[in-house]
Amino acid sequence: MLRPARPAWRLLAAAGLAALAGLAGCGRRGTPKAPHEGVACVGCHRSGVTVAGRAGVPDAACAARGCHPNGGPDSARIAMVTFKHSAHPMSEQRTVPCAGCHTHAPGSTVLQADSSTCALCHYPQIAGTRDAGCELCHVHPSHTSLTSQGVPLQHGRLAQAKVPCTRCHYRLVEGDTTVAVGRCAACHSAKPPAKLPPADSAHAAHPDMSCRTCHSRVRHRVVAMSGSITLQCLDCHASRHRPPLPVDSSLTALAAGSSETQRCGECHAGVHAEEQRLLLGLMPGEQLRPSLMFIGGVTCRSCHVTPDAPRPAPGTSLKPNAHACVGCHGPDWSGMLGRWNRGYDRRRDWITGYLTGAETAVQAHGAPPAALADLAEARGLLAFVQRAGPVHNLTAADQIMRRALGLGEAAYRLAQLSPPPPPALGPPVRGGSCLSCHYGIEEAPAGRDSSTGRMTTHAPHILGAGLTCDACHAVGAAPPGVPDSLWITTGS
């Protein structure tokens, strides 16, 4: 016997009830049970209408029946960030609704909150359109990452040295917060707006909706890093390789999607690790002393490639050149690089001679193991500075050489000998001091004394007396009553 056909309105009503009961939006059969699988859609979706006909989720629905009382846990963690979860602020008047962060894809009951929602609200701080707000989430970064040359980079040490996050991470977001007015038609199909309302009023009008209902995905990640941290081989080295690379290795690397730098690193792993370590000031067991050039944003090609050249010519030797100094600092810096190198060479030779004398004396007095260990460490420190190139960080290089000299003196004492006077290296090079730029100035004449007519030189004052530059030099004209011979003007 045939059953009479149901009226159309009853079929539509049955379909609507099925959707409300969760048949269209809840978990799929055969998948592991999710915490919300037994909850009907209308148990959460209670207000408004959004994309695909799904109603908004008011906070009261999350707290109903004792499911998530008091707004959930007091704190939560996403990625590396622990933050205040309950009553998470959106503005002075409102808090972020639960549905703003916790949402699920159609056909799934798994609610997820990831860092893309955080990036959407904190976009001004992440993208730098407002004062840098890294510390808002990354209060005490302590993780250790590796540079492109395999140098451990402890973020806790960077914070102590007051190196800003944006010095290394200069692009941290993909996407933006713009909303296409066409997305409104998904919900307001009868009368879509011609233009978007202001953000404050739009958020107030949609209090229970997921942020992703209107906004596209904004991803917070390290998109681009400083060239000092991730060296790009082809920035300095011509792409033509001699001898030619084996076809199989290069094709294998290329097929795996590796970058040119990764391909070079297959054979040339860590070849610039020591230069990078010195530039960043990452000395084991020592206070972090980043180079002023690193803090200023100088990259490898800034000094190793002639200004305005796209890249080095094939086969050319990559050495720092004075043209790069002049290109940034002007003609007064034309001889600065040579003076830096000569100042370092002098001090290296003086310290090397002192260590050679210490080794001879220690060997003649029984060669105590502790004394030999100090001398070996001192030789290793000098060798490191030589390989790393002292001009990459004059402040750290000066400190390391002084440490090597101190180990030579200690070796004499461990051998029960009185150490001879060490060579005079002049005042220590400190960040921001005159000598951090005018390194090696002891070779330059100071000029003729206006009162005695004698030619004065820097060496006796810097190396002999250990005077700092500001003992004689000052900016501006001499104050009244002070003779010009005691006050040297260096410009205003």
Side-chain angles (χ1 to χ4, degrees):
M1 180 176 178
L2 295 176
R3 185 174 297 178
R6 294 184 181 180
W9 67 268
R10 286 193 176 184
L11 291 175
L12 293 175
L17 288 173
L20 290 176
L23 296 180
C26 289
R28 294 164 294 186
R29 294 181 179 180
T31 59
K33 284 190 175 182
H36 298 86
E37 187 169 339
V39 181
C41 296
V42 293
C44 300
H45 296 276
R46 299 182 178 184
S47 66
V49 178
T50 65
V51 174
R54 293 169 57 191
V57 180
D59 288 355
C62 301
R65 300 179 183 177
C67 292
H68 304 286
N70 303 320
D74 182 66
S75 63
R77 183 177 180 85
I78 292 180
M80 295 187 296
V81 179
T82 300
F83 60 95
K84 178 76 172 176
H85 176 266
S86 60
H88 198 68
M90 173 181 282
S91 63
E92 294 181 358
Q93 295 80 24
R94 302 179 59 226
T95 58
V96 179
C98 300
C101 302
H102 300 272
T103 185
H104 63 85
S108 170
T109 60
V110 179
L111 289 177
Q112 293 181 332
D114 57 33
S115 59
S116 65
T117 307
C118 306
L120 185 60
C121 285
H122 295 289
Y123 182 86
Q125 292 89 357
I126 297 171
T129 58
R130 191 179 295 170
D131 292 342
C134 303
E135 297 81 5
L136 183 67
C137 297
H138 306 279
V139 183
H140 299 295
S142 57
H143 59 288
T144 298
S145 302
L146 296 178
T147 69
S148 62
Q149 303 301 293
V151 177
L153 191 60
Q154 298 177 354
H155 283 66
R157 297 184 66 190
L158 293 172
Q160 294 170 5
K162 295 181 171 54
V163 177
C165 305
T166 50
R167 174 58 195 90
C168 301
H169 310 277
Y170 66 87
R171 187 181 166 202
L172 296 168
V173 65
E174 288 179 331
D176 55 43
T177 61
T178 58
V179 176
V181 69
R183 299 195 69 165
C184 302
C187 296
H188 305 279
S189 56
K191 189 179 179 181
K195 64 178 183 178
L196 292 173
D200 290 342
S201 59
H203 289 151
H206 303 79
D208 307 326
M209 306 303 177
S210 167
C211 299
R212 296 286 299 278
T213 301
C214 302
H215 292 275
S216 298
R217 181 182 179 87
V218 175
R219 188 180 180 192
H220 174 32
R221 71 179 188 90
V222 177
V223 181
M225 291 281 291
S226 163
S228 301
I229 305 296
T230 55
L231 304 184
Q232 300 298 323
C233 301
L234 296 185
D235 279 352
C236 292
H237 296 280
S239 57
R240 186 177 180 182
H241 195 281
R242 291 186 301 273
L245 292 171
V247 175
D248 55 349
S249 65
S250 60
L251 289 178
T252 301
L254 187 60
S258 60
S259 67
E260 290 288 348
T261 296
Q262 291 172 320
R263 293 172 62 189
C264 298
E266 292 180 352
C267 298
H268 307 283
V271 292
H272 295 302
E274 291 174 320
E275 293 92 331
Q276 193 176 65
R277 186 185 295 276
L278 186 60
L279 181 72
L280 303 180
L282 297 171
M283 301 297 107
E286 296 288 337
Q287 178 185 353
L288 185 65
R289 289 180 172 84
S291 168
L292 291 176
M293 291 184 287
F294 166 69
I295 296 297
V298 176
T299 64
C300 299
R301 67 175 295 119
S302 299
C303 299
H304 290 272
V305 178
T306 304
D308 302 326
R311 66 176 62 215
T316 58
S317 179
L318 295 176
K319 295 181 179 179
N321 59 86
H323 297 291
C325 303
V326 174
C328 291
H329 297 283
D332 290 341
W333 280 64
S334 59
M336 197 70 71
L337 179 61
R339 182 177 292 164
W340 284 1
N341 287 323
R342 290 190 295 273
Y344 159 73
D345 289 342
R346 278 190 288 271
R347 289 163 174 79
R348 178 203 59 203
D349 292 344
W350 294 338
I351 297 172
T352 299
Y354 190 85
L355 294 179
T356 300
E359 289 166 347
T360 301
V362 166
Q363 292 285 354
H365 285 76
L372 294 178
D374 276 1
L375 290 172
E377 182 181 356
R379 290 286 190 180
L381 291 173
L382 286 184
F384 165 76
V385 174
Q386 179 71 23
R387 291 192 303 267
V391 296
H392 288 115
N393 191 339
L394 290 173
T395 303
D398 181 79
Q399 189 269 338
I400 294 170
M401 290 194 294
R402 291 174 189 273
R403 181 180 169 190
L405 184 59
L407 288 170
E409 293 184 82
Y412 275 107
R413 297 188 181 95
L414 289 171
Q416 306 298 317
L417 298 171
S418 296
L425 305 181
V429 180
R430 306 185 188 281
S433 67
C434 300
L435 289 177
S436 64
C437 290
H438 298 280
Y439 189 74
I441 192 66
E442 65 273 358
E443 70 180 26
R448 195 175 298 279
D449 190 297
S450 58
S451 59
T452 65
R454 292 181 299 182
M455 182 64 70
T456 60
T457 56
H458 282 90
H461 298 86
I462 293 176
L463 301 177
L467 296 177
T468 57
C469 299
D470 57 4
C472 300
H473 294 271
V475 175
V482 176
D484 290 344
S485 61
L486 299 179
W487 193 276
I488 301 176
T489 302
T490 59
S492 56

